[in-house]
């Protein structure tokens, strides 16, 4: 498979892995309950199915707890989240190659519950199929999807940088797409 382009549909078999937010994370727990919560098995997330009727902004990043991702990308997503919603985006995704437990720890470290989905690109399969990977890591790219159809796709030339994939730039792109849709 080649990189997805505007107008392409997300393949029907896109599945990621994750540990969803659990309200128990915010409760006072016994040591046994904490252990049970920590040792939960990851769940599969069928993106092709879940996103069939949604607008999605997928932000793929090279790795959790890395300088560009933790220092720029996630704080930018958090700061821009409400603006994304004004453009009709239901689901915001942070995607890396890291395992679901690392992604869960990264989500918690950033004070995020379920407003951003932290998903694992298992074996970097999805990103490798797009050829948007850096070895075994995901590249830094963004896909804007409307009912699984690509409406915008952009990849950083240098995956250590956050420029064209910054939350502010993607919000601007969302505004342009909304204006185009209203004019047609």
């Amino acid at each position: 498979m080649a990189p997805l382009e505007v107008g392409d549909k997300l393949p029907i078999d896109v599945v990621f892995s994750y540990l969803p937010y659990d309200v128990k994370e915010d409760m006072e727990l016994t040591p046994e309950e904490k252990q049970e919560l920590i040792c939960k098995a990851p769940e599969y997330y069928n993106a092709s199915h879940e996103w069939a009727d949604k607008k999605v902004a997928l932000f793929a990043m090279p790795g959790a707890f890395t300088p560009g991702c933790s220092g720029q990308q996630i704080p930018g997503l958090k700061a821009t989240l409400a603006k994304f919603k004004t453009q009709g985006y239901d689901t915001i995704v942070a995607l890396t190659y890291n395992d679901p437990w690392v992604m869960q720890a990264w989500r918690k470290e950033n004070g995020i519950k379920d407003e951003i989905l932290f998903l694992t690109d298992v074996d970097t399969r999805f990103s490798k199929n797009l050829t948007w990977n850096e070895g075994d890591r995901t590249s830094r790219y963004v896909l804007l999807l409307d009912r699984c159809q690509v409406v915008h796709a952009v990849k950083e030339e240098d995956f250590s940088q956050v420029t064209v994939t910054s939350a502010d730039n993607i919000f601007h792109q969302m505004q342009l797409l909304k204006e185009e849709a209203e004019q047609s």
Side-chain angles (χ1 to χ4, degrees), residues 94-127:
L95 178 75
T96 77
Y97 78 100
N98 297 101
D99 69 52
W101 292 278
V102 171
M103 293 299 283
Q104 179 188 46
W106 195 32
R107 175 183 58 75
K108 288 179 180 181
E109 178 69 22
N110 282 283
I112 297 168
K113 294 181 182 181
D114 58 0
E115 56 270 25
I116 299 172
L117 282 174
F118 279 65
L119 302 178
T120 296
D121 187 354
V122 180
D123 299 325
T124 326
R125 189 176 308 121
F126 179 71
S127 297

Side-chain angles (χ1 to χ4, degrees), residues 25-57:
E25 293 175 23
D26 299 325
M27 301 170 136
E28 197 70 33
L29 301 174
T30 66
E32 294 80 21
E33 291 169 327
K34 283 181 186 177
Q35 187 66 23
E36 183 180 314
L37 191 61
I38 290 169
C39 294
K40 285 176 69 171
E43 296 179 18
Y44 288 109
Y45 185 90
N46 185 330
S48 302
H49 174 75
E50 294 292 332
W51 300 343
D53 62 349
K54 294 186 170 99
K55 288 178 81 170
V56 177

